């Protein structure tokens, strides 16, 4: 087995537009300016007061009281700031109560757990500056069965070069600055593709190979997902890995294993963006988990 | 002896303490994100308040291992979408006043900064909402693409496609003013 150069999953993401444009360019200055703007101290203090007043109202009488609070007169100092916190226009048309009680899922798909599956968490989990997706993704206890081919038997496939690697290969004498300018010029012309799943990054490349092998060699595809799991899980691409594994199992006529794997995925991520695709793969076998809402009712966009 | 009522108070205190930490850590970028996502400036205070009120209510549904930042961004996207629709119906300009810029610059620099930001905001306003969300989250907020994909609830490749289209549009919109170093 080749020596693993990466201890954790890494991504070859495209350079930020501000970097490509150059530190002194108007575009980079515009992006930096957008990044630097924020509330004034007065805005922040007014927001803090309004939010905590709303929290207190919620604690006393629930969501309805919080909604009423938002419709009530503005919080102290807020009237001096454009619009005014708690003004009536906030709630009309936006239905704060509706967002909470009408079953609308707010926020990130694939991240909202079914209430009954939620376990008590220690306060330390909510130190936002210390947590990332990659740091805290739990192992999904990969129980995928071994395929007929092991990773060691996989013939190495040349990895397509990333755009950056291709640029270096074409003009190795170019300095970093010159290459950046050339990339930005190409970007302005619209002919530099962003990194795709065939990028040479180990993790993404492995998944790309697994995806490409699905049709011609699903057994190889399954082995590659297992290899990915051994090297890069738990990680941010576990869902993508699982979807490919489900497809490979189904192609290998291991239908029940594929169904079990799909159910496992959706139990872990009930609002996964792949729920619709998985549901269509098994129209006669319901794979979405049954959720018993605790309170309030949260409408899920899971597809059956 | 602590009864159920005492236990409820302790749990509520813990929840508020956690929420306070989250507010202090994320309030500035919630404000900034809502601006970038096209919420009319006059509405940003109310929109920010709404984001945090919904966050407070849904904190217990946060998935283990989920990035708080990505979770909050997801809420910003939803709230911004609602406020943008309301602003469009009112036919308001996006900004009554240019947003707060960094301190310490002289008058000429501040004027130049305001104009640059206005051009950027005008370029963002021309994007469709899906492209704008990805552009703001990746280029301005500097989230990794995988977190951007999670925040918008779409596969990674979809996020890349939207970013590509957004970049082309922003560059084209700002082309007359662009100069490379």
């Amino acid at each position: 087995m080749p020596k693993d150069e990466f201890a954790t999953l890494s991504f070859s993401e495209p350079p930020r537009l501000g970097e490509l444009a150059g530190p002194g360019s108007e575009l980079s200055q515009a992006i930096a300016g957008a990044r630097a703007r924020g509330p004034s101290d007065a805005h922040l203090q007014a927001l803090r007061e309004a939010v905590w007043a709303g929290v207190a109202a919620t604690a006393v009488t629930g969501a309805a009281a919080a909604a009423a609070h938002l419709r009530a007169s503005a919080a102290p100092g807020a009237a001096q700031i454009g619009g005014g916190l708690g003004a009536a226009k906030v709630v009309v048309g936006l239905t704060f109560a509706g967002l909470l009680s009408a079953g609308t899922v707010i926020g990130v798909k694939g991240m909202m757990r079914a209430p009954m599956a939620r376990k008590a968490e220690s306060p330390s989990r909510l130190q936002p500056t210390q947590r990332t997706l990659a740091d805290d993704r739990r192992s999904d206890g990969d129980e995928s069965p071994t395929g007929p081919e092991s990773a060691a038997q996989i013939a190495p496939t040349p990895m397509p070069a990333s755009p950056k690697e291709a640029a270096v290969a074409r003009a190795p004498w170019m300095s970093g600055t010159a290459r950046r300018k050339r990339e930005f010029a190409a970007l302005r012309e619209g002919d530099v593709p962003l990194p795709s799943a065939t990028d040479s990054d180990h993790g993404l490349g492995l998944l790309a190979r697994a995806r490409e092998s699905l049709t011609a060699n699903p057994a190889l595809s399954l082995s590659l997902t297992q290899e990915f799991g051994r090297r890069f899980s738990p990680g941010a691409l576990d869902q993508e890995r699982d979807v490919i594994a489900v497809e490979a199992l189904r192609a290998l006529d291991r239908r029940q294993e594929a169904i079990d794997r799909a159910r496992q995925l959706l139990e872990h991520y009930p609002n996964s963006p792949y729920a619709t695709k998985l549901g269509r793969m098994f129209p006669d076998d319901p794979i979405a988990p049954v959720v018993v809402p605790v309170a309030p009712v949260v409408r899920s966009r899971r597809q059956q | 002896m602590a009864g159920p009522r005492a236990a409820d108070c302790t749990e509520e205190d813990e929840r508020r303490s956690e929420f306070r930490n989250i507010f202090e850590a994320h309030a500035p970028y919630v404000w900034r994100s809502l601006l970038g996502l096209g919420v009319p400036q006059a509405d940003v205070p109310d929109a920010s308040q709404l984001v945090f009120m919904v966050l407070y209510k849904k904190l217990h549904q946060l998935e283990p291992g989920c990035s708080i930042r990505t979770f909050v961004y997801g809420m910003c996207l939803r709230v911004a979408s609602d406020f943008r629709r309301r602003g469009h119906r009112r036919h308001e300009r996006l900004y009554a006043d240019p947003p707060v810029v960094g301190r310490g610059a002289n008058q000429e620099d501040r004027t130049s900064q305001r104009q640059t930001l206005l051009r950027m905001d005008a370029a963002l306003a021309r994007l469709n909402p899906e492209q704008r969300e990805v552009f703001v989250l990746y280029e301005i907020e500097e989230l990794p693409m995988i977190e951007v994909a999670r925040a918008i609830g779409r596969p990674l490749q979809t996020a890349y496609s939207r970013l590509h289209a957004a970049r082309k549009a922003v560059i084209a919109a700002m082309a007359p003013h662009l100069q490379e170093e």
Side-chain angles (χ1 to χ4, degrees):
Chain A
M1 288 293 292
K3 183 178 179 181
D4 188 357
E5 294 178 331
F6 299 97
T8 58
L9 180 65
S10 64
F11 296 94
S12 294
E13 296 195 317
R16 309 285 176 182
L17 193 56
E19 297 171 28
L20 280 177
S25 70
E26 179 161 352
L27 187 55
S28 67
Q29 289 177 359
I31 291 174
R35 191 178 299 135
R37 62 185 171 185
S40 65
D41 292 342
H43 281 98
L44 196 55
Q45 181 58 29
L47 177 62
R48 187 180 290 115
E49 291 172 2
V51 167
W52 283 109
V55 166
T58 302
V60 171
T61 54
H69 168 74
L70 285 175
R71 286 191 293 268
S73 56
Q80 300 175 6
I81 298 169
L85 294 170
K89 66 178 180 178
V90 176
V91 179
V92 173
L94 185 59
T95 62
F96 172 69
L99 285 169
L100 291 184
S101 62
T104 304
V105 174
I106 301 294
V108 183
K109 297 177 189 179
M111 291 185 165
M112 301 291 287
R113 289 292 299 269
M116 70 174 299
R118 186 110 178 96
K119 296 181 180 178
E121 297 291 332
S122 65
S124 62
R125 74 172 170 85
L126 290 176
Q127 295 301 319
T129 58
Q130 301 168 4
R131 308 277 285 212
T132 66
L133 272 173
D135 290 342
D136 295 326
R137 182 77 66 195
R138 286 185 303 152
S139 172
D140 62 351
D142 191 357
E143 298 174 358
S144 56
T146 56
E149 295 181 44
S150 70
Q153 297 173 355
I154 297 169
T157 304
M159 303 298 287
S162 68
K164 185 173 289 186
E165 288 181 336
V168 172
R170 284 192 300 269
W173 60 87
M174 274 192 169
S175 67
T177 300
R179 189 172 304 114
R180 173 186 59 73
K181 288 186 175 182
R182 186 166 136 165
E183 284 183 35
F184 182 70
L187 189 62
R188 291 183 69 166
E189 297 299 321
D191 61 357
V192 175
L194 289 173
S196 68
T198 57
D199 192 88
S200 62
D201 174 82
H202 282 212
L204 286 173
L206 203 56
L207 279 186
R209 289 171 59 197
R211 165 65 59 190
E212 289 160 3
S213 308
L214 261 176
T215 303
N217 195 341
L220 172 61
S221 177
L222 184 64
S223 292
L224 288 171
T225 64
Q226 292 164 357
E227 172 69 10
F228 181 94
R230 281 189 287 272
R231 292 167 64 180
F232 301 112
S233 289
L237 289 180
D238 283 352
Q239 287 192 60
E240 286 73 13
R241 182 273 313 264
D242 287 344
V243 170
I244 296 173
V246 168
E247 293 184 84
L249 286 167
R250 191 178 71 151
L252 290 168
D253 208 21
R254 292 156 66 173
R255 181 178 173 80
Q256 191 56 48
E257 292 173 66
I259 291 172
D260 292 342
R261 189 71 179 264
R263 284 177 177 157
Q264 204 175 36
L265 169 61
L266 293 184
E267 278 174 9
H268 204 77
Y269 306 102
N271 293 314
S272 169
Y274 302 107
T276 301
K277 175 176 183 171
L278 293 172
R280 287 177 183 157
M281 287 170 63
F282 307 104
D284 300 325
D285 296 276
I287 57 172
V290 175
V291 175
V292 177
V294 176
V297 174
V298 177
R299 185 178 72 233
S300 168
R301 293 181 64 179
R302 291 195 304 274
Q303 302 293 323
Q304 293 297 326
Chain B
M1 183 174 67
R5 188 168 299 177
D8 288 344
C9 290
T10 301
E11 187 177 335
E12 181 64 24
D13 289 342
E14 282 186 3
R15 185 184 179 193
R16 291 194 185 191
S17 177
E18 293 171 358
F19 181 71
R20 184 177 291 109
N21 290 338
I22 293 173
F23 177 88
E24 296 303 332
H26 298 277
Y29 85 67
V30 165
W31 187 284
R32 184 177 66 231
S33 299
L34 292 170
L35 275 174
L37 292 171
V39 175
Q41 188 174 1
D43 290 335
V44 168
D46 294 333
S48 299
Q49 184 186 5
L50 186 61
V51 167
F52 282 105
M53 292 310 304
V54 177
L55 175 63
Y56 180 75
K57 193 67 180 176
K58 297 203 172 286
L59 211 52
H60 67 287
Q61 295 181 5
L62 187 68
E63 190 175 79
C66 166
S67 164
I68 292 284
R69 187 173 64 162
T70 309
F71 188 71
V72 173
Y73 271 130
M75 291 190 179
C76 289
L77 297 182
R78 178 61 182 263
V79 170
S81 175
D82 287 339
F83 272 85
R84 278 199 307 266
R85 281 197 298 270
R86 294 171 57 237
H88 179 72
R89 286 197 295 271
R90 292 203 303 266
H91 303 289
E92 287 184 355
R93 289 185 299 125
L94 279 181
Y95 293 101
D97 297 303
V100 175
V101 296
R103 300 173 182 167
N106 58 34
Q107 181 63 35
E108 188 176 335
D109 287 345
R110 283 196 293 270
T111 302
S112 174
Q113 287 174 3
R114 287 175 187 268
Q115 291 172 349
T116 299
L117 268 178
L118 285 172
R119 281 193 283 271
M120 169 58 78
D121 289 329
L124 292 179
R126 295 186 192 183
L127 301 176
N128 70 41
E130 292 78 18
Q131 293 170 358
R132 181 172 189 161
E133 289 169 356
V134 174
F135 186 93
V136 168
L137 293 184
Y138 186 73
E139 303 291 1
I140 298 176
E141 298 302 327
E142 297 186 304
L143 262 69
M145 276 308 284
I146 190 65
E147 285 198 43
V148 174
R150 293 279 185 263
I152 66 175
R154 292 290 183 266
L156 192 59
Q157 280 303 109
T158 302
Y160 272 126
S161 297
R162 292 180 182 180
L163 177 65
H164 184 57
R167 280 183 163 188
K168 286 179 64 176
V170 168
I171 291 172
M174 295 190 68
H177 308 283
L178 287 180
Q179 52 186 339
E180 296 177 47
E181 186 179 58

